[in-house]
Amino acid sequence: PLPQMFYGSYGWDPLLILLQIILIQCLYYLTLGGCLTLLDFLMAVPSSLDQFFSATLCRMNTTGWICMSSVLLSAVVGSFFLLFVVERTKKCLDFTATLFLLHLCACWSFKGFP
């Protein structure tokens, strides 16, 4: 009864958890890329990989607002992805923290610590 309380009817399945983390990460970057591309097009700003991984672009100018708005929109859409991929509200915070921790590591490896 105790393991089912934490892991549900599936039990402890590390492969399932790893695949869910990878899927959530991919969906987040796909959504972030879509939002960035759409807002860059609408605001006539050139697209750049720096918009994904560089904290230096998050300033109070057009590019900064595009980056911040895209991250916010991706987080909102990502909450619906969590609903369908994770399917357990007790795990959503864990998966969200993992998502942004992995994103921090990606930013760190791309441009150094923000």
Side-chain angles (χ1 to χ4, degrees), residues 19-33:
L19 291 175
Q20 286 174 326
I21 289 170
I22 291 170
L23 181 61
I24 290 293
Q25 202 78 28
C26 290
L27 289 172
Y28 173 74
Y29 284 123
L30 187 67
T31 306
L32 181 61

Side-chain angles (χ1 to χ4, degrees), residues 48-111:
S48 167
L49 195 58
D50 284 341
Q51 291 176 314
F52 277 91
F53 300 114
S54 179
T56 58
L57 291 181
C58 292
R59 299 175 187 216
M60 296 299 167
N61 58 18
T62 305
T63 306
W65 283 108
I66 289 173
C67 291
M68 290 183 275
S69 300
S70 296
V71 169
L72 182 64
L73 286 171
S74 298
V76 170
V77 172
S79 67
F80 292 104
F81 290 147
L82 283 170
L83 176 69
F84 294 109
V85 173
V86 177
E87 296 179 340
R88 287 188 48 92
T89 55
K90 291 182 179 182
K91 293 183 179 181
C92 285
L93 182 61
D94 296 337
F95 277 87
T96 303
T98 302
L99 168 77
F100 285 107
L101 183 66
L102 290 174
H103 182 66
L104 176 66
C105 292
C107 292
W108 197 349
S109 67
F110 186 74
K111 281 282 192 178

Side-chain angles (χ1 to χ4, degrees), residues 32-50:
L32 181 61
C35 291
L36 283 170
T37 302
L38 178 67
L39 292 175
D40 284 343
F41 177 75
L42 292 175
M43 302 298 286
V45 173
S47 296
S48 167
L49 195 58
D50 284 341

